[in-house]
Amino acid sequence: MIGLIVLALLGAAAAAPTDDRIVGGYECTHHSQPWQVSINIGYHFCGGSLINDQWIVSAAHCWQNPYSLLAILGDHHIWMYEGTEQYMSVDAIYWHQSYDYQTLDYDIMLMKLAHPVTVNQYVKPVALPKACPTPGDMCTVSGWGNIYTDQVFNPFNLQCVQVPILSDKDCEGSYPGMITERMVCAGYLEGGKDACQGDSGGPLVCNGELQGIVSWGQGCAQPNYPGVYTKVCSLMPWINDTLSRYS
């Protein structure tokens, strides 16, 4: 019986949000990612991206009761009040009806804020993609997640890392049979640079457009295991439909 429980737990761990996976990055220039959101339940636990003055996109596996959430925008040092922050309550959350918590397919949700944000130099939406990204495109991932591969250390200041979009072939080669059309890989096959625990739901921005949402991966920054992101371009019909229906 114990053996079964351990296997069940291991199985759950493989796709659990703790694998939500910045390692090998640097402190972002202050407010250079003005769409970055910290989703807070008394502490930071996931990232998100502001896509217009009242909506945030994040990963479905970051879901919590909306009334327990606070969305913090305009932040850089997560524990220090800097005077640029906007604290927003969340009115409603819509996650994709096809979301699969085991495979993390369709790992996307939209959060409607109770009130519009004040758009300024610190808080600004990111553009949604007009087309899908091309392998080799350089992108920026940002977040307050773990910055080590082998121990937990969550930084106070927002971290950024530059990673390239990988081809579908390389992505599938790293994760045989696990990659769907709603996923895109970014990173280096030699490892060393990646998103990590606590970055989940945050932005992968390529050429000024939100192309990915931090979703999952095998460890963080491990060789041959690049980060896997929800592929925003493939979900634009759902995003547009949800926004037009509930805005």
Side-chain angles (χ1 to χ4, degrees):
M1 187 66 194
I2 289 172
L4 282 175
I5 291 168
V6 170
L7 283 177
L9 286 173
L10 284 175
T18 50
D19 283 349
D20 46 6
R21 305 170 332 88
I22 275 189
V23 175
Y26 54 90
E27 182 181 337
C28 307
T29 304
H30 283 234
H31 309 295
S32 60
Q33 317 298 313
W35 44 80
Q36 174 80 47
V37 181
S38 168
I39 300 173
N40 189 294
I41 47 171
Y43 54 90
H44 166 84
F45 86 106
C46 265
S49 303
L50 186 71
I51 56 169
N52 66 35
D53 67 0
Q54 203 167 354
W55 287 86
I56 288 164
V57 67
S58 186
H61 79 252
C62 289
W63 187 89
Q64 297 271 349
N65 181 327
Y67 302 114
S68 67
L69 294 179
L70 193 63
I72 305 174
L73 299 100
D75 215 351
H76 181 75
H77 188 298
I78 205 161
W79 294 113
M80 191 186 287
Y81 180 68
E82 297 160 286
T84 54
E85 299 90 345
Q86 296 182 36
Y87 300 91
M88 311 297 292
S89 52
V90 177
D91 204 32
I93 296 180
Y94 305 93
W95 71 90
H96 200 289
Q97 60 275 16
S98 301
Y99 168 60
D100 185 325
Y101 72 92
Q102 290 176 303
T103 64
L104 292 182
D105 200 6
Y106 295 94
D107 189 14
I108 188 171
M109 68 180 183
L110 283 165
M111 307 167 63
K112 186 180 186 184
L113 300 176
H115 305 283
V117 302
T118 301
V119 173
N120 56 28
Q121 70 192 87
Y122 311 109
V123 175
K124 199 179 296 183
V126 64
L128 290 168
K130 297 178 208 50
C132 288
T134 306
D137 282 356
M138 285 305 292
C139 311
T140 303
V141 194
S142 51
W144 288 276
N146 191 12
I147 59 173
Y148 292 125
T149 55
D150 54 354
Q151 53 185 308
V152 174
F153 177 77
N154 285 42
F156 299 131
N157 295 314
L158 185 64
Q159 302 291 305
C160 285
V161 66
Q162 310 288 321
V163 288
I165 296 287
L166 295 176
S167 68
D168 293 344
K169 179 171 172 286
D170 282 345
C171 192
E172 177 64 30
S174 292
Y175 299 106
M178 299 166 75
I179 302 299
T180 71
E181 289 177 15
R182 273 76 49 190
M183 299 176 191
V184 62
C185 286
Y188 294 92
L189 294 180
E190 61 269 29
K193 295 187 177 190
D194 199 2
C196 203
Q197 279 82 4
D199 291 321
S200 266
L204 173 80
V205 176
C206 319
N207 302 314
E209 294 180 338
L210 182 70
Q211 291 288 4
I213 298 165
V214 179
S215 181
W216 63 277
Q218 177 70 44
C220 307
Q222 301 298 323
N224 298 314
Y225 291 113
V228 185
Y229 298 80
T230 308
K231 192 174 182 179
V232 177
C233 62
S234 66
L235 292 160
M236 282 308 298
W238 177 80
I239 292 173
N240 288 329
D241 181 57
T242 306
L243 293 180
S244 63
R245 190 177 298 186
Y246 299 109
S247 285

